[in-house]
Amino acid sequence: MREDAALACRGSGVETVSSWARPDERPGARSDARPVARAKGRGSRSLLLGLLALAAVFTGSCSGIDEPAVTTIDMEDNAFSREVTRIGVGEAVRFRNRGLVPHNAIDLDGAWSTGEVAGGGPADVMAPEEEVTITFTEPGVHTFYCSLHAPSDASAGMVATLVVGEVAFQAAGEDAPDDPVTGWTGVTREVPSEHPTIQNAVDAADPGDLVLIAPAPERPEHLAADGSYVYKEQVDVTTPYLTIRGTDRNEVIVDAEHQRPLGINVVAADGVAVENLTVRNATANGIYWTSLTGYRGSYLTAYNNAIYGIYAFDATDGLFEHSYASGSKDAAFYIGQCDPCDAVITDVLAENNGMGYSGTNSSEVFIVDSVWRHNVSGIVPNTLDSQREAPFGRVTIAGNLIHDNDSREAPALGLQWSAFGNGVLLTGGLDSLVERNRIVNHERSGVTAGPNLSRNFWMTGGHVVRDNVIEASGYGDLVLAGPALGGSCFSGNTPSRTVPTGLESVAGCGPDAVAGAHAAPADPDRGPFRLPSRQDLAPTLSFIGLVAEGEFGLQPDNDHRDTPVPPDQPPLPDGADAPVVPAVDVFATHDLDLAAITVPELPPEVTVGRSSVATVGDVPFGLGGFSALYGVLGWLAPFALVAGWMGLSLVDLARREELTVGTRAGWTAGVMLVPFVGAPAYLLVGGSALPRWLRLMTVLGASLVALVLLGIAVIVGGLL
């Protein structure tokens, strides 16, 4: 998608900037226009900006662009991608038409519309692939709708809500109780005996009620293609403090039939618990909580949902427990855009997904006592500018069994492919703890801490990685990818190879190292041996190679709908008769004993069997493809040039008898101590006796050739 800034205007607390992508009709940019961020994949400028960021790295700063934070709301056919979106004052929303037909977005009170932003009338539409960006400068709540797919009173259809600033908002509106409902009302809304659909029961329920769902009736309208009887609906929940429970986890199935975006959708409704049922075949997310406080997902199964399985966004005070998710192209479990999240994931199983866990800009999260296997990648906290609350930080990952997360059969999006082959990948965040996990059989790494590029370049630092059992990692059991901030430490693990070499020796943790969720201020306590944290650019270039593979279409293309149906999963103890507890003060009441967590045993069916790949200068030649190519061009080639420059310079200096001892010593020190500057400077201006053409070709010509080759690789790899 191309980017062009156009119209800018102010009024009603809204500043608007439009961006057009229609190839045959694009208005010219005015002199006061500002650029709008690209809509292409997040990894698209990774290599060049990553290398340019090196200068900022050594000063400990992050490079960035002085732009407001931008949140994207996609216009899909007949629905907006987010029913409730929260942004800060001064932040922007990018409305992007991803449907097949025209759409627009019109504020119910007439304060703004995408048509007016584009220079037309309020009801003017956006063609597919067009986008409009609006910056909101005052707090408030905006209901907006598409005039083609909703009535003018926004009472139904393609309607959504935008909350700007710290404004109290509950989807239930005036019907929401003033105080949290902490106990069961004693009222049970039964499906299907009293209510024919789950949605009907949810709509009839009051805060504190139980919606109890029996298996779908064995009638033709409930019959699915696989012969099971299911509820063919998307359940939208806007009433707070409900408990939605199946009587049988494996037989109560909400089936989106690969037609509806969501299975169960909890929007701005605090305190909703969903328990003991299965959700499958959504075109977006299986079970989704957003813009709320208090949520719990217990004994849930989510499979073959296209994007996420079990998902909380812009939500705090939550728990995912005793649950299973597979067949999602992004992540099985996701917690995003919250600080503090005050969330726990425990006793879950994620397999056959793009990522087992993804947590964008989520801090104060515990991920414990769970199994992550056969995903494209395992546990991936990350930082992106596409969401608020960057960077992520203070995540605790403890007591997990993480193995064989290098699947080429699992479904994955292009961005997820860039994380391929890693057990734990800490990208662009701070102060997290990885402790007492068993991490086995990964093509790339057991644990990697490294940077991430979005609109800003986010470096990593302050992590404590200790007392893990890590085996059979093809590239490195422990990897610190540069550019990196200081403060990360590694101790008590079982690495056979680290990148850079000797990582636990030069960046070890002291006995009082502190990091992770709800811990004291992070301190690696590196002890008396305090070298600066070592870091290595080679693994970053290797990961960028995966970005290039995704951009170039070289990743496996697996359909999430083909993921195997999981076996039956353990049910909620006591089933329908279990206590009814709304999701209030979830984090505070959850019994989390970190001290009792131990390294899990290796199951007998898991064989430790990944071989180390061949590396040269930490470039993984054994991984092949773009990973090796970018490592050679971006890492080895510069050092090869320096070695050549130094060799020529030192040989020439040894032959120059006319130089004084001091001059010769000075040039020799410059060449050896400042090799990227000293050697080229000597060859170009130091009076070398070598032929001028040789010096120019060696310094300028060879550098130009290396840059041209790198540029070709960047373009061919789809990074520009």
Side-chain angles (χ1 to χ4, degrees):
M1 179 176 292
R2 301 182 63 178
E3 57 180 295
D4 295 276
L7 309 170
C9 61
R10 298 178 187 271
S12 302
V14 174
E15 178 183 345
T16 60
V17 178
S18 66
S19 175
W20 294 77
R22 190 190 306 173
D24 58 344
E25 184 180 348
R26 297 168 51 231
R30 286 179 12 182
S31 59
D32 61 348
R34 300 183 306 174
V36 178
R38 289 175 68 113
K40 196 177 178 182
R42 296 166 181 152
S44 64
R45 299 160 290 167
S46 297
L47 181 57
L48 292 183
L49 286 182
L51 296 176
L52 291 173
L54 282 173
V57 170
F58 294 116
T59 64
S61 64
C62 292
S63 64
I65 302 171
D66 188 16
E67 293 181 350
V70 179
T71 298
T72 298
I73 299 177
D74 285 333
M75 298 166 165
E76 298 163 351
D77 289 335
N78 301 319
F80 293 103
S81 61
R82 294 179 175 178
E83 293 192 32
V84 175
T85 301
R86 293 181 185 269
I87 65 171
V89 173
E91 295 182 358
V93 174
R94 178 189 297 110
F95 292 94
R96 183 170 57 184
N97 188 351
R98 285 298 182 88
L100 300 176
V101 299
H103 294 291
N104 57 23
I106 302 174
D107 179 69
L108 180 61
D109 295 328
W112 53 268
S113 75
T114 52
E116 291 172 311
V117 172
D124 283 4
V125 298
M126 297 163 53
E129 296 306 318
E130 284 184 356
E131 63 181 45
V132 168
T133 298
I134 305 175
T135 299
F136 293 83
T137 58
E138 294 182 4
V141 178
H142 300 269
T143 299
F144 60 93
Y145 64 98
C146 172
S147 64
L148 302 181
H149 302 99
S152 59
D153 62 357
S155 59
M158 191 169 172
V159 178
T161 302
L162 175 68
V163 182
V164 182
E166 299 299 324
V167 179
F169 175 74
Q170 275 272 6
E174 296 179 356
D175 296 332
D178 293 331
D179 298 313
V181 177
T182 59
W184 181 33
T185 60
V187 176
T188 299
R189 313 282 181 168
E190 295 190 12
V191 182
S193 59
E194 296 178 0
H195 300 273
T197 67
I198 304 171
Q199 186 67 65
N200 180 264
V202 165
D203 291 344
D206 295 315
D209 287 358
L210 169 66
V211 175
L212 186 63
I213 311 162
E218 295 186 4
R219 296 199 294 262
E221 62 268 27
H222 292 284
L223 181 63
D226 64 354
S228 57
Y229 290 89
V230 302
Y231 292 94
K232 300 177 181 180
E233 55 182 305
Q234 173 177 312
V235 182
D236 295 313
V237 184
T238 58
T239 301
Y241 310 112
L242 298 183
T243 298
I244 301 171
R245 175 185 296 169
T247 60
D248 187 313
R249 174 179 180 178
N250 301 297
E251 296 296 327
V252 175
I253 302 171
V254 178
D255 191 343
E257 301 180 282
H258 303 296
Q259 298 176 17
R260 290 173 287 277
L262 304 164
I264 297 178
N265 179 33
V266 185
V267 182
D270 295 346
V272 173
V274 183
E275 305 171 339
N276 207 40
L277 51 77
T278 294
V279 175
R280 69 185 192 185
N281 301 339
T283 60
N285 314 317
I287 307 167
Y288 182 38
W289 290 260
T290 185
S291 298
L292 52 84
T293 299
Y295 62 92
R296 185 177 68 249
S298 303
Y299 294 93
L300 300 173
T301 300
Y303 70 92
N304 296 23
N305 300 291
I307 309 300
Y308 298 104
I310 300 175
Y311 179 14
F313 179 82
D314 190 28
T316 62
D317 190 26
L319 172 66
F320 294 152
E321 61 177 353
H322 316 305
S323 294
Y324 172 97
S326 67
S328 292
K329 292 186 287 187
D330 196 310
F333 295 88
Y334 180 98
I335 295 174
Q337 189 179 287
C338 46
D339 184 9
C341 301
D342 288 343
V344 179
I345 298 177
T346 183
D347 189 28
V348 305
L349 171 58
E351 62 181 357
N352 305 321
N353 303 277
M355 296 177 178
Y357 167 82
S358 176
T360 300
N361 303 355
S362 52
S363 301
E364 307 292 3
V365 177
F366 292 88
I367 305 169
V368 299
D369 289 335
S370 297
V371 178
W372 314 86
R373 68 189 185 195
H374 304 300
N375 305 289
V376 172
S377 59
I379 298 176
V380 189
N382 57 85
T383 298
L384 292 170
D385 289 297
S386 56
Q387 297 179 14
R388 300 173 64 199
E389 308 296 351
F392 89 83
R394 306 177 308 282
V395 174
T396 292
I397 302 169
N400 297 279
L401 174 62
I402 308 166
H403 71 90
D404 296 280
N405 292 288
D406 49 11
S407 173
R408 296 179 185 273
E409 286 74 45
L413 301 169
L415 183 64
Q416 283 59 46
W417 180 249
S418 65
F420 168 79
N422 299 281
V424 176
L425 187 57
L426 307 171
T427 57
L430 305 170
D431 305 336
S432 292
L433 174 65
V434 182
E435 184 176 47
R436 286 170 279 163
N437 303 281
R438 186 176 294 274
I439 307 171
V440 178
N441 290 346
H442 294 96
E443 184 171 309
R444 290 183 174 255
S445 77
V447 178
T448 288
N452 204 35
L453 177 72
S454 187
R455 286 191 306 275
N456 293 300
F457 189 80
W458 296 96
M459 291 183 289
T460 197
H463 304 303
V464 174
V465 181
R466 67 185 173 199
D467 300 335
N468 301 282
V469 176
I470 309 176
E471 301 177 275
S473 305
Y475 180 39
D477 292 325
L478 297 173
V479 177
L480 181 57
L485 301 171
S488 292
C489 69
F490 306 79
S491 285
N493 305 287
T494 60
S496 59
R497 176 196 279 175
T498 69
V499 180
T501 302
L503 191 56
E504 287 200 326
S505 297
V506 299
C509 302
D512 298 319
V514 174
H518 284 266
D523 180 1
D525 182 35
R526 298 262 296 282
F529 187 56
R530 291 179 178 270
L531 288 179
S533 291
R534 292 186 62 191
Q535 53 189 273
D536 198 328
L537 186 60
T540 301
L541 294 166
S542 172
F543 291 125
I544 290 172
L546 289 175
V547 175
E549 289 184 10
E551 296 276 358
F552 207 53
L554 298 179
Q555 71 179 80
D557 184 15
N558 300 311
D559 193 328
H560 72 283
R561 294 171 294 185
D562 296 332
T563 304
V565 175
D568 286 352
Q569 300 295 312
L572 172 70
D574 298 325
D577 298 323
V580 178
V581 182
V584 178
D585 294 329
V586 176
F587 180 80
T589 57
H590 180 70
D591 184 16
L592 180 63
D593 186 359
L594 283 179
I597 291 176
T598 60
V599 176
E601 296 295 325
L602 186 70
E605 68 271 15
V606 178
T607 301
V608 178
R610 292 288 189 279
S611 300
S612 296
V613 302
T615 63
V616 177
D618 289 337
V619 173
F621 280 83
L623 298 179
F626 281 100
S627 291
L629 174 65
Y630 285 106
V632 169
L633 295 178
W635 184 242
L636 294 184
F639 284 102
L641 286 176
V642 169
W645 295 337
M646 290 179 64
L648 281 176
S649 300
L650 294 175
V651 168
D652 189 62
L653 282 166
R655 292 175 177 176
R656 294 187 64 186
E657 297 180 357
E658 80 279 8
L659 295 179
T660 65
V661 173
T663 301
R664 187 181 298 176
W667 275 117
T668 300
V671 167
M672 298 185 68
L673 298 178
V674 195
F676 281 95
V677 176
Y682 171 74
L683 291 172
L684 293 176
V685 300
S688 171
L690 295 170
R692 184 170 182 271
W693 67 266
L694 177 60
R695 291 183 283 115
L696 291 176
M697 289 298 296
T698 301
V699 177
L700 302 180
S703 298
L704 180 61
V705 169
L707 288 173
V708 168
L709 290 175
L710 184 58
I712 292 172
V714 167
I715 294 170
V716 170
L719 297 180
L720 287 180

